[in-house]
Amino acid sequence: MSVITRTDSLENESADAAPRRRGHPGRSAAIIRWIVLAAGALLFLFPFYYMIIGSLQTRPDPTPAGAFPNPANITLQNYVQINERINLVTGLVNSGIFTGGVIVCTVVFGVLAGYALSVLHWRGRGVTFAIALLVQIVPFQLLMIPLYVLIARDYGLADTHLGMILPFAINSAAVLIFRQYFLQVPRAMFDAARIDGAKELRVLWSVALPLVRPALVTVVLLTFIGPWNEFLWPFLITKEASMQPLAVSLANYITTVAASASNPFGAILAGAVVLAIPAVTLFIIFQRQFQSSDIGSGVKG
C-alpha cells in the first residue's frame, strides 16, 4: 500500500510540475515582448525628447552627446528670442481661431451629411456618396489657386479668418466616418424615436449623436492636425503678421530670420515645441475615447 501511495504522489508532483515547466516559455515570451515594445516606444519618443532638449540648449550640439547636455547649457533663451520675433502667443491664438473654426464646421456639416447619407432615404443618395468618395482623390494643392480666386477676389475675404476657414469647412473624410458609424446604429432605435413623435433633428441629437461619441472624438483629432499645421493656405490669404497662425509665422521665421539668432537650431526647435504641445496635449486627453461603443446594447431583445 505504501508503494502505491508513493507512486501516486510522484505522479501528482510530476503533473503539477509539468504546467510550471510549460509556463516558463510563456513568461520568457512575455518578457521579450515587453522589451521589444519598450524599445519601440523609446525609438518613437526619442525625436520628441531631442526636440525639447535641443530647444533648451544655449549652444547647439548636433552630436549624439547632445541628447544628454550639460545642465549649464540649458536655458529658455531660445524661446525668448523666437517670441521676440514672431510673438508666440498671438500665433497660438490665431491658430486656435483657425483650427477651432474648421473643427466646428467639419463636425456640424459632417454629422448632418453623414446622417443624411446613412439614415434618410432620398433620391440621389448613392450618387452623392460616390461624389464624396471621388473628392478623396483630389489633392487640395490642385484646388488652391481656384479657391484663392474664389475666396480672395470674388468673395472679398482676404485678410480674414473666415477666408482661411471656408475651404476646410467641409471634410469628405469626416462625412464618411460619420456615415459608417450611423450605419451601425440599429434602425429600431430611430423608428422608436419617430413613433414617439421626435423629428429628424431630435432623433439626430438625442439618439444618434450619443451613440457615435468615438466618431466625434476621431473626427476632432484628425481634423485638428490638418489646419493646425497648415501654413500655405493662410499665407496666401493674408500677409498680415497679426493674423497669421503659428505655423505660418514659424515658416516665415525659418526662411528669413532664423539664421540671425544666436542659436538658430535651438530657436527653430523651440518653435516646433510650441507648435506641437497643443496637438500632443489634445491627443493625451482624448486617447481613451478611441474605443468601440456597444451601440447595439440599446436594443432590447
Side-chain angles (χ1 to χ4, degrees):
M1 180 66 69
S2 61
V3 174
I4 296 175
T5 303
R6 179 61 178 171
T7 303
D8 292 340
S9 63
L10 291 175
E11 292 177 351
N12 292 334
E13 291 177 359
S14 300
D16 294 338
R20 290 197 295 269
R21 287 195 299 269
R22 289 195 298 269
H24 287 301
R27 286 196 295 270
S28 300
I31 293 173
I32 294 174
R33 183 166 57 251
W34 280 108
I35 292 174
V36 173
L37 290 175
L42 289 175
L43 289 175
F44 177 79
L45 294 174
F46 182 78
F48 297 96
Y49 165 79
Y50 191 80
M51 179 175 65
I52 296 174
I53 291 298
S55 68
L56 296 173
Q57 292 181 0
T58 305
R59 296 177 303 278
D61 186 1
T63 65
F68 309 97
N70 186 348
N73 195 33
I74 298 297
T75 182
L76 294 176
Q77 185 61 29
N78 295 322
Y79 291 90
V80 174
Q81 285 188 348
I82 193 173
N83 183 63
E84 292 174 350
R85 298 296 185 94
I86 65 175
N87 196 333
L88 296 176
V89 175
T90 301
L92 285 173
V93 171
N94 291 331
S95 293
I97 295 173
F98 174 42
T99 305
V102 171
I103 290 176
V104 170
C105 294
T106 297
V107 170
V108 172
F109 294 131
V111 166
L112 294 176
Y115 183 82
L117 289 172
S118 59
V119 178
L120 304 181
H121 298 279
W122 44 280
R123 183 176 299 177
R125 186 177 70 166
V127 176
T128 305
F129 176 64
I131 293 174
L133 288 176
L134 289 175
V135 171
Q136 294 286 328
I137 66 175
V138 181
F140 178 75
Q141 290 76 9
L142 188 64
L143 304 174
M144 191 170 295
I145 300 302
L147 282 174
Y148 174 78
V149 174
L150 180 67
I151 297 295
R153 297 184 181 179
D154 296 344
Y155 293 166
L157 294 177
D159 297 324
T160 63
H161 290 292
L162 184 59
M164 301 180 197
I165 294 171
L166 278 182
F168 302 93
I170 299 179
N171 190 331
S172 59
V175 173
L176 298 179
I177 291 174
F178 283 120
R179 176 185 178 274
Q180 293 307 114
Y181 267 86
F182 284 134
L183 286 175
Q184 299 177 38
V185 179
R187 301 279 81 79
M189 302 186 70
F190 298 135
D191 295 338
R194 296 188 184 101
I195 291 174
D196 291 338
K199 302 300 182 181
E200 288 301 329
L201 288 178
R202 181 68 176 178
V203 174
L204 172 62
W205 181 262
S206 301
V207 178
L209 281 182
L211 297 174
V212 295
R213 186 175 301 173
L216 288 172
V217 176
T218 301
V219 168
V220 168
L221 292 179
L222 294 180
T223 304
F224 176 87
I225 296 172
W228 185 261
N229 295 322
E230 178 66 31
F231 65 91
L232 186 55
W233 174 256
F235 177 76
L236 290 176
I237 289 298
T238 180
K239 301 298 188 295
E240 295 184 12
S242 61
M243 293 190 61
Q244 291 177 345
L246 183 58
V248 180
S249 300
L250 286 176
N252 292 333
Y253 177 82
I254 291 173
T255 56
T256 56
V257 298
S260 62
S262 59
N263 182 2
F265 177 76
I268 293 173
L269 290 180
V273 169
V274 175
L275 189 64
I277 284 177
V280 174
T281 303
L282 191 68
F283 178 79
I284 292 175
I285 293 174
F286 291 106
Q287 57 92 16
R288 292 183 179 273
Q289 297 296 327
F290 280 97
Q291 56 188 0
S292 300
S293 60
D294 189 8
I295 57 180
S297 62
V299 179
K300 188 176 182 179

